[in-house]
Amino acid sequence: MERPTLAGRTLKFAVLTAIVLAVLYPFGLAVGTSLTGREESIANGGSYVLLPSHPSLDAYRLVLSGGQVTRAVLISIGITVTGTALSLLCTVFLGYALSRRGMLGGKPILLMVLATFLFTPGMIPTYLTVKELGLLDTYQALIVPVLLNAFNVVVVRSFFQSLPDELFEAARMDGCSEWRMMWRIAIPLSKAVIAVVGLFYAVSYWNTFFNAILYINDPTKHPIQVVLRQYIFRGSGQAGADVAIVRDLPAASVQMAVLIIALVPILLAYPFLQKYFTKGVLTGAIKG
């Protein structure tokens, strides 16, 4: 391939820079506004501030002072950790079972999984099922209906099928059971796909919003995304017991503080998962 010209490299740099700025600017605006004090907010007409001259953490102290936001964050963390662990466990087990040749009932089960791509359950049947199971107003209602994702099952199954059959044949000759082959061979060689699927599940559970509104009627059980909506649309001074204190802070600062708190956990998860991506790729490169 020919080396790109100076004009081509300059154009690529300009385009990538514009994309990065377009992504970072709204995030920087949210962070800057969350650090803005009352006086500076009034001086700017109550609008958003990118670089506050006197940053203040008062908005964060308020929303993390043990009130509604703190409780919602803890609820979301619990749902995300528990739901992701259970979903990964079920997805890996089902994906591995469907990837093995000769599994009893494997084809009918696979057809059932693939059929969900064409025939998705509606909102009313799903709600009635959750109600009949007695899961309304429980945290299980935010996990059980979305425990398995058909797309993730197919992805994990395809990755397991791509592993060399010679490894499993050698293990079987050494007396390994299917259970041991899955834990000792398939899963260690599949860290990359498991990390990606785990991230998909974690983001989905952390961003739980519609199901929470649909199944949870008790405001004390709402996750962070529902509370964030309350702060944004109802006004930061109308969220529970914090009314009297919030009036001493700019509404936009409190709203953006809640927004940043809702974003940070997922942003922090990426660096820790990146090393598993790298390990999975390196292992996959030498697994044959």
Side-chain angles (χ1 to χ4, degrees):
M1 295 179 62
E2 296 182 0
R3 184 178 181 182
T5 62
L6 178 61
R9 295 198 301 271
T10 303
L11 179 61
K12 290 179 181 179
F13 177 80
V15 171
L16 291 176
T17 301
I19 294 175
V20 170
L21 291 177
V23 172
L24 291 181
Y25 179 76
F27 183 74
L29 198 63
V31 173
T33 303
S34 68
L35 298 175
T36 303
R38 183 175 181 81
E39 293 76 11
E40 188 170 1
S41 177
I42 295 175
N44 286 274
S47 61
Y48 299 118
V49 179
L50 180 61
L51 297 173
S53 56
H54 301 287
S56 172
L57 295 175
D58 291 342
Y60 291 96
R61 294 191 186 97
L62 170 66
V63 298
L64 293 176
S65 60
Q68 186 180 20
V69 175
T70 304
R71 182 175 61 249
V73 169
L74 294 177
I75 291 173
S76 290
I77 291 175
I79 293 172
T80 302
V81 173
T82 305
T84 301
L86 293 175
S87 293
L88 270 181
L89 196 66
C90 295
T91 300
V92 170
F93 282 3
L94 182 57
Y96 179 80
L98 294 177
S99 70
R100 309 313 299 161
R101 296 186 182 91
M103 173 193 169
L104 182 62
K107 288 186 178 180
I109 294 176
L110 179 59
L111 289 176
M112 290 176 59
V113 172
L114 296 177
T116 61
F117 285 108
L118 301 175
F119 307 100
T120 57
M123 180 179 66
I124 295 178
T126 305
Y127 180 86
L128 292 177
T129 302
V130 172
K131 181 180 179 181
E132 289 300 319
L133 292 175
L135 299 180
L136 290 181
D137 254 347
T138 65
Y139 299 130
Q140 292 90 322
L142 305 180
I143 298 177
V144 175
V146 293
L147 189 63
L148 272 176
N149 182 279
F151 175 78
N152 292 338
V153 172
V154 172
V155 169
V156 173
R157 171 183 176 270
S158 300
F159 195 91
F160 283 146
Q161 284 183 321
S162 69
L163 298 177
D165 291 333
E166 293 81 2
L167 291 175
F168 297 98
E169 292 174 1
R172 193 174 290 108
M173 292 178 63
D174 289 338
C176 283
S177 62
E178 287 289 344
W179 179 265
R180 191 172 182 183
M181 284 190 292
M182 182 186 69
W183 284 107
R184 295 296 182 89
I185 298 176
I187 292 180
L189 293 176
S190 307
K191 289 181 180 179
V193 70
I194 292 175
V196 172
V197 170
L199 183 61
F200 288 164
Y201 278 125
V203 172
S204 176
Y205 281 116
W206 182 261
N207 290 332
T208 295
F209 173 75
F210 182 75
N211 284 353
I213 292 180
L214 193 62
Y215 303 134
I216 306 297
N217 297 318
D218 186 354
T220 62
K221 295 182 178 180
H222 283 162
I224 184 62
Q225 303 302 334
V226 178
V227 174
L228 173 61
R229 179 184 181 277
Q230 294 172 358
Y231 269 78
I232 297 298
F233 289 98
R234 291 170 49 197
S236 61
Q238 302 177 20
D242 297 330
V243 175
I245 307 176
V246 173
R247 291 174 181 172
D248 296 331
L249 291 172
S253 296
V254 178
Q255 292 170 353
M256 292 302 105
V258 178
L259 176 62
I260 296 301
I261 291 172
L263 289 175
V264 165
I266 293 298
L267 293 178
L268 293 179
Y270 278 91
F272 294 100
L273 289 175
Q274 184 63 36
K275 65 178 181 179
Y276 293 104
F277 294 161
T278 305
K279 286 182 180 179
V281 171
L282 292 177
T283 303
I286 61 174
K287 68 176 182 287

